[in-house]
């Protein structure tokens, strides 16, 4: 029963099968309080500190809808080009799970708040339109912690603990329509979609969208059918994939695995699977429940939701510039090619460069610092660019000092060294380390004369009219001054000193 034994290499699988993908993304909203009560919706509090009778499901407690959560959800729907329901209801989804104190989850079922939209994503030169089936609102569950086992799963654990802080935090679910026709690009398209959705949610300021903390979680559906069959295969659902890279890997693995099952004449089982981060594989979970197993019915403790058209239009007018439009605008303003723009995005440097430009740097300089020197530093220390201990404003200041001739590139790198080492602002580092370029003629002339005296043979060559030889003297002078001299001015002074006649 090894899942791995029957894998078909990816390219071979793609030559015979056509994948269809679909994504369900859960987003914890960044509201101050929970979905149906006043408990704080904060991450990282002491276990079971952010709770009250409502989110603990105590008898007699009644939920009240959080208006901000509705507002955020409508904004998400509008940004995804959805229709906003003028009337809809919450539904009770009944099932038992220890981390769900009420034994039901308040969710939305056949009356979602937002329906039928789309999101365009770019993959290479191609734009793919991902249909959005629905955006609905529900409450998050608590969290179980299984202690004593090797895997952190309940199997083999000595005991389990449960933390209800997360129970009742507003959770938006964004469900795509099935996405056929992407062929071998399916894994990349899945990743590009989650990336674009994350950027969109961040721009809307409705969530902190941190995949590693679970505020953005993805379930990835994958199915395969023989090429040209015109039918779709049975899909599996890989749960809680918690990084962009894992989204891509999980689709790829499912394609290789399902091709193996189909090649052997087997049938893909419709089931929930778990992505294994270490091995890059998926393993079977429970077989998928049908909707009727949940005994959905309209939530009797809540009034229906009927957002007025005026409110919806107000929210539409309040939408910020969305990421795709912003990228197009910046690309034009900065005069970048598609490839340059893709490089910025891939390095997660777009916002950093934009903030550096906003702080006064030229776009080309800002881009060079972040994609060049600073990317190299980030790689060396194994951190994200944004985690470096230098702010866009500080990078802009360094670029400004270079532009005004107070620093050359070499000194600027030393200034960044100091800033990254926590020695303070660029100006602090310049002052403390004595890094400013020497462009004062009196000081430079002393160094010029010293260089000429040390290399009389080269000086003679320059005197004879071969001015290109002055470069060697500039080099000597730069070594002598520890790279702090204004090289261009030093060269002018050398040529003046050695002018024939
Ligand atoms: Zn509560």
């Amino acid at each position: 029963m090894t899942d791995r034994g029957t894998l078909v290499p990816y390219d071979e699988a793609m030559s015979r099968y056509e994948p269809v993908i679909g994504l369900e993304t859960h987003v914890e909203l960044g509201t101050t309080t929970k979905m149906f009560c006043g408990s704080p919706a904060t991450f990282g509090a002491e276990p079971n500190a952010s709770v009250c009778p409502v989110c603990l499901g105590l008898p007699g407690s009644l939920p009240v809808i959080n208006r901000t959560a509705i507002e955020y959800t409508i904004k998400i729907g509008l940004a995804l080009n959805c229709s906003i329901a003028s009337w809809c209801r919450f539904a009770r989804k009944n099932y038992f799970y220890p981390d769900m104190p009420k034994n039901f989850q308040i969710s939305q079922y056949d009356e979602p708040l937002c329906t039928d939209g789309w999101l365009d994503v770019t993959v290479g030169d191609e734009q793919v339109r991902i249909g959005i089936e629905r955006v609905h609102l529900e409450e998050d569950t608590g969290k179980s912690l299984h202690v004593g086992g090797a895997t952190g799963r309940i199997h083999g654990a000595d005991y389990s603990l449960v933390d209800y802080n997360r129970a009742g935090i507003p959770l938006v679910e964004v469900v795509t329509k099935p996405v056929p026709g992407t062929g071998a690009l399916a894994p990349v398209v899945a990743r590009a979609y989650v990336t674009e959705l994350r950027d969109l949610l961040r721009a809307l300021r409705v969530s902190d969208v941190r995949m590693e903390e679970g505020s953005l979680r993805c379930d990835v559906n994958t199915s395969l059918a023989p090429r040209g069959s015109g039918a779709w295969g049975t899909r599996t659902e890989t749960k809680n994939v918690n990084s962009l890279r894992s989204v891509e890997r999980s689709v790829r693995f499912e394609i290789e695995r399902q091709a193996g099952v189909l090649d052997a004449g087997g049938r893909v089982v419709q089931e929930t699977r778990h992505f294994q981060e270490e091995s890059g594989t998926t393993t079977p979970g429970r077989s998928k429940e049908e909707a009727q197993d949940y005994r959905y019915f309209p939530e009797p403790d809540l009034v229906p939701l009927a957002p007025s058209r005026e409110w919806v239009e107000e929210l539409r007018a309040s939408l910020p510039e969305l990421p795709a439009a912003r990228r197009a605008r910046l690309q034009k303003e900065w005069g970048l090619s598609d490839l340059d723009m893709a490089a910025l995005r891939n390095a997660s440097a777009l916002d950093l460069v934009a903030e550096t430009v906003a702080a006064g740097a030229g776009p080309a300089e800002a881009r060079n610092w972040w994609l060049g020197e600073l990317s190299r530093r980030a790689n060396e220390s194994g951190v994200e660019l944004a985690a470096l201990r230098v702010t866009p404003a500080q990078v802009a200041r360094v670029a400004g000092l270079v532009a005004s001739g107070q620093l050359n590139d070499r000194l600027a790198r030393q200034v960044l060294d100091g800033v990254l080492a926590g020695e303070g602002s660029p100006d602090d580092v310049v002052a403390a380390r004595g890094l400013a370029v020497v462009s004062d003629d009196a000081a430079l002339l002393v160094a010029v004369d010293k260089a000429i005296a040390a290399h009389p043979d080269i000086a003679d060559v320059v005197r004879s009219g071969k001015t290109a030889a002055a470069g060697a003297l500039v080099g000597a002078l730069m070594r002598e001054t520890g790279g702090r001299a204004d090289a261009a001015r030093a060269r002018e002074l050398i040529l003046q000193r050695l002018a024939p006649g």
Side-chain angles (χ1 to χ4, degrees), residues 23 190-191 194 218 220 241 243-251:
L23 292 113
R191 180 185 185 147
V194 180
C218 233
V220 188
V241 184
S243 76
L244 294 170
R245 182 165 166 260
S246 299
V247 169
E248 183 176 339
R249 289 168 84 205
S250 69
V251 175

Side-chain angles (χ1 to χ4, degrees), residues 34 37 39 51-52 55:
K34 291 186 181 180
C37 66
S39 301
V51 292
C52 76
C55 55

Side-chain angles (χ1 to χ4, degrees), residues 350-487:
L350 187 67
D351 288 336
L352 294 167
V353 170
E355 285 166 38
T356 307
V357 172
E365 287 73 29
R367 208 159 58 90
N368 283 345
W369 282 114
W370 285 108
L371 287 191
E373 187 65 15
L374 291 167
S375 285
R376 195 173 62 74
R377 304 292 177 104
N379 282 341
E380 277 171 11
S381 1
V383 298
E384 299 281 312
L385 260 190
L388 285 176
R389 293 175 63 186
V390 61
T391 64
Q394 290 171 332
V395 175
R397 177 63 182 152
V398 170
L401 290 170
V402 173
S404 66
Q406 288 164 270
L407 291 178
N408 55 32
D409 280 350
R410 186 182 143 159
L411 292 175
R413 282 196 289 275
Q414 293 179 42
V415 171
L416 282 175
D417 276 339
V419 173
L420 290 168
E423 292 171 23
S425 72
D427 292 285
D428 293 341
V429 177
V430 168
R433 293 196 182 188
L435 290 177
V437 164
V438 178
S439 52
D440 165 56
D441 279 0
L444 277 179
L445 277 172
V446 174
V448 164
D449 289 339
K450 225 169 154 184
I452 290 172
H455 303 278
D457 43 341
I458 303 176
D460 283 342
V461 176
V462 178
R463 261 192 213 98
S464 74
K466 292 187 176 128
T467 53
L473 292 174
V474 174
L477 181 149
M478 294 302 281
R479 277 192 298 281
E480 185 67 27
T481 57
R484 290 176 51 230
D486 176 340

Side-chain angles (χ1 to χ4, degrees), residues 16 35 60 81 95 121 132 136-137 145 166 200 245 259 265 269 283 349 354 381 383 404 427 441 488 490:
R16 277 179 282 124
M35 186 63 231
N81 308 289
Y95 64 102
V121 304
I132 304 292
H136 77 238
L137 190 50
L145 180 69
R166 202 178 68 178
L200 182 97
R245 182 165 166 260
V269 180
T283 52
S381 1
V383 298
S404 66
D427 292 285
D441 279 0

